[in-house]
Amino acid sequence: MKALMFGWEFPPHILGGLGTASYGLTKGMAECGDMEITFVIPKPWGDEDKSFAHIVGAGNTPVVWRDIPWETACERLSYCMNPQEYYSLRDHIYADFSYMHTNDLGCIEFSGRYPDNLLEEINNYSIVAGVIARTYPCDIIHSHDWLTYPAGIHAKQVTGKPLVIHVHATDFDRSRGNVNPTVYGIEKDGMDQADHIITVSNLTRQTVIEKYHIDPAKVTTVHNAVEPLSEDIMAIQVPKNTKEKVVTFLGRITMQKGPEYFVEAAARVLKKSNNVRFVMAGSGDMMNKMIRLAAQRNISDRFHFTGFLKGKQVYEMLKASDVYIMPSVSEPFGISPLEAMQVGVPSIISKQSGCAEILTNVIKTDYWDIDAMADAIYSIITYPAMYQQLKVQGKLEVDEIKWKYAGQKVIDIYHKVIQKK
């Protein structure tokens, strides 16, 4: 089966959980066999893992015809694609886009991030999707998250193939209910046009059904999983301070992730015990506010802000931790606690997270219950038996949550959708 997938992030260049989930699911599907996946991203960097999916860059797809010599194509594109593909794509330009701003290869350039002109990039991505869909044959189209829904819709219109959209989050999650009507419109259109919808949790499934008025029969939950640890990650050795415990928050410092509840819980723990340090690892629009809040609570000397971490840095931080906490206000799934549990770090998660539906060997609290959160932290760092139980059983549990199983569920959905179409 041939799947044409549209995504926005792909490791090693990721800015959040979307890229991690897209990578894990695609790899898991490939492991199931009989899958040929073309994965489209706005901007390829050339160091993506291409062993299980064919990576196509929207930024290397011409929408305006240019007479480019072979030598130039090789010089400019060989780092990330076979130059011959450029000419194949050029043969499938379907309209006159000469009015658009393109580079000397006739391609629209993309940031590969989440720029201020994000809506413009989403629209441009959907235009390029038409060329790509005409070039690469497929049996089904799969769009990851709202940024790629317009591209998936266009590809469906071009090919007549069924569209599956994957809801990794909704704007209700990202905005704490203060929904952007433009984003909601894009999400709603994608859901209406899709032949089937995959959500990463039952929590998200209910949001899709209730807030976007979608037929429940059209929506299926496929929980996320976690990638097995590489030898490089397993080999990381981080010396621990035996006199002090480390409690870590790792993620975007935005209102969706509930960072202020982490700071408030830290202040309560520090009233009971002074042999603990708190780390907020990540970046986001609430970072300065959290620095000020820590100062107001008079805990700055026990509180650390690392900034954005990626790759090995994430696991170095986790391995240095005694407790991991995810106090998200609305978390569609949340892969980071699984990553923490993989390296034996006891985890506390909010009941308002999708991963709470499948995890047992964690402590679950309401995101707003700062006292319960503080009690859970204090108990883990104080009672060795509790720490050991969560460490050992948590790792055993998470090692069985594999992307291959999630991948097979998605493939089964593909078969049903194609059969129905």
Side-chain angles (χ1 to χ4, degrees):
M1 186 189 301
K2 294 180 179 179
L4 176 59
M5 279 195 186
F6 292 95
W8 202 260
E9 297 182 14
F10 202 82
H13 302 275
I14 59 173
L15 296 163
L18 177 60
T20 303
S22 299
Y23 175 90
L25 180 66
T26 308
K27 189 174 182 182
M29 291 171 68
E31 287 175 14
C32 294
D34 192 31
M35 280 302 307
E36 191 176 315
I37 301 168
T38 298
F39 198 100
V40 185
I41 52 176
K43 181 177 180 175
W45 300 88
D47 54 356
E48 294 84 7
D49 185 349
K50 304 175 183 68
S51 62
F52 54 88
H54 180 62
I55 305 293
V56 175
N60 295 331
T61 299
V63 295
V64 175
W65 201 94
R66 296 276 191 264
D67 186 10
I68 302 297
W70 173 255
E71 293 76 17
T72 302
C74 289
E75 183 184 329
R76 294 283 299 279
L77 301 169
S78 291
Y79 75 97
C80 67
M81 70 187 291
N82 181 337
Q84 185 55 54
E85 276 188 84
Y86 169 83
Y87 298 103
S88 298
L89 287 159
R90 192 181 65 175
D91 291 340
H92 291 94
I93 295 172
Y94 58 93
D96 181 7
F97 294 111
S98 57
Y99 66 91
M100 299 194 70
H101 179 72
T102 58
N103 61 19
D104 57 337
L105 296 174
C107 303
I108 301 171
E109 294 184 344
F110 292 86
S111 66
R113 303 179 71 83
Y114 298 89
D116 291 339
N117 67 329
L118 182 59
L119 292 174
E120 181 185 353
E121 288 212 352
I122 291 169
N123 181 64
N124 290 345
Y125 190 62
S126 70
I127 290 171
V128 176
V131 176
I132 293 170
R134 286 169 170 83
T135 308
Y136 300 94
C138 67
D139 301 301
I140 197 157
I141 299 153
H142 189 149
S143 283
H144 289 280
D145 225 34
W146 71 280
L147 308 125
T148 74
Y149 295 168
I153 293 168
H154 190 186
K156 176 183 177 177
Q157 292 167 344
V158 165
T159 62
K161 302 297 182 181
L163 169 65
V164 171
I165 68 165
H166 209 123
V167 183
H168 294 265
T170 70
D171 208 45
F172 285 91
D173 302 303
R174 291 182 293 267
S175 68
R176 282 198 195 174
N178 187 24
V179 176
N180 181 318
T182 302
V183 176
Y184 179 88
I186 293 172
E187 291 176 327
K188 173 68 172 158
D189 193 36
M191 293 175 194
D192 289 341
Q193 298 290 332
D195 294 275
H196 204 80
I197 300 168
I198 296 173
T199 57
V200 295
S201 63
N202 292 323
L203 185 75
T204 306
R205 182 175 182 269
Q206 283 309 116
T207 300
V208 167
I209 293 166
E210 293 171 8
K211 303 291 188 183
Y212 296 84
H213 317 294
I214 303 297
D215 179 0
K218 189 177 169 178
V219 193
T220 303
T221 295
V222 177
H223 289 104
N224 284 335
V226 68
E227 185 75 6
L229 295 178
S230 67
E231 289 183 10
D232 286 353
I233 299 299
M234 292 175 70
I236 293 173
Q237 297 291 326
V238 180
K240 281 196 176 183
N241 185 337
T242 53
K243 294 181 180 178
E244 292 186 320
K245 302 297 183 181
V246 176
V247 181
T248 299
F249 166 110
L250 194 153
R252 286 181 292 111
I253 306 176
T254 62
M255 61 181 179
Q256 180 191 350
K257 303 295 182 179
E260 68 270 39
Y261 300 104
F262 176 67
V263 178
E264 297 291 4
R268 280 166 170 71
V269 173
L270 287 166
K271 286 179 180 177
K272 291 184 179 181
S273 173
N274 201 40
N275 69 331
V276 54
R277 291 188 178 275
F278 291 84
V279 177
M280 184 166 280
S283 59
D285 59 6
M286 286 183 70
M287 185 168 178
N288 288 336
K289 187 177 180 182
M290 292 305 100
I291 293 171
R292 290 195 297 271
L293 182 59
Q296 288 164 10
R297 296 292 175 266
N298 202 27
I299 59 173
S300 295
D301 60 326
R302 312 300 296 174
F303 217 98
H304 306 270
F305 294 86
T306 69
F308 182 74
L309 302 181
K310 62 179 181 178
K312 280 188 177 181
Q313 294 174 321
V314 169
Y315 287 96
E316 287 169 353
M317 187 65 251
L318 290 176
K319 286 192 174 190
S321 304
D322 297 282
V323 182
Y324 176 79
I325 183 162
M326 185 181 76
S328 297
V329 175
S330 180
E331 186 70 55
F333 186 78
I335 291 175
S336 56
L338 281 68
E339 294 172 332
M341 293 162 73
Q342 274 185 309
V343 294
V345 182
S347 296
I348 301 166
I349 62 176
S350 75
K351 293 177 181 178
Q352 292 73 27
S353 61
C355 63
E357 297 168 9
I358 62 169
L359 293 175
T360 304
N361 292 285
V362 295
I363 295 179
K364 305 171 190 178
T365 70
D366 289 305
Y367 73 86
W368 44 263
D369 197 340
I370 299 161
D371 291 322
M373 213 179 288
D375 288 344
I377 294 168
Y378 184 78
S379 297
I380 294 171
I381 64 174
T382 305
Y383 303 112
M386 184 178 187
Y387 170 86
Q388 199 64 23
Q389 166 81 8
L390 289 169
K391 174 178 179 170
V392 174
Q393 295 303 317
K395 178 165 172 51
L396 288 172
E397 178 180 21
V398 82
D399 283 347
E400 290 305 310
I401 302 174
K402 299 177 180 178
W403 278 115
K404 185 176 181 179
Y405 303 150
Q408 188 57 60
K409 290 177 183 177
V410 171
I411 293 169
D412 292 343
I413 290 168
Y414 284 180
H415 285 298
K416 288 177 184 174
V417 170
I418 291 170
Q419 217 170 24
K420 190 176 179 182
K421 190 80 170 178

